Amino acid sequence: MINFKQEELIEEVVNHVKEKFPEVRFIGVSESPEDPESLWIRITAPEDEDRESELNDYACDKTMDIIYYWITAIICW
């Protein structure tokens, strides 16, 4: 089950990606098959492979920023 903060962060990532890749559509969220504590944000992929690679890098940068922020916040508390 996804909590409120997870929903908020998922929306933040999806909106961030859609700003640069407006053709992308949100499909849903699922648990990772390897780790039920991890979530996968499922979106449509661009038709062009280069653009898809660019999208992956762009989305990863945003998710890493969020993870870094939360780790920093936890350590500083």
Side-chain angles (χ1 to χ4, degrees):
M1 179 166 214
I2 298 172
N3 67 40
F4 175 76
K5 190 60 183 177
Q6 289 170 320
E7 286 182 18
E8 197 174 70
L9 294 173
I10 289 165
E11 184 176 338
E12 182 179 335
V13 171
V14 170
N15 289 339
H16 179 76
V17 168
K18 288 176 81 172
E19 286 176 11
K20 187 169 182 175
F21 302 90
E23 70 274 22
V24 168
R25 298 289 171 249
F26 177 72
I27 297 171
V29 178
S30 61
E31 291 180 354
S32 164
E34 293 89 20
D35 178 11
E37 295 295 316
S38 295
L39 299 174
W40 288 358
I41 301 172
R42 297 173 34 237
I43 58 172
T44 59
E47 300 269 334
D48 180 64
E49 286 183 28
D50 291 335
R51 191 145 167 86
E52 182 178 353
S53 178
E54 186 180 344
L55 173 126
N56 286 335
D57 292 343
Y58 190 73
C60 286
D61 287 345
K62 181 63 174 177
T63 55
M64 289 305 296
D65 288 347
I66 291 170
I67 290 168
Y68 177 78
Y69 170 80
W70 283 101
I71 289 173
T72 303
I74 290 169
I75 291 171
C76 292
W77 289 344

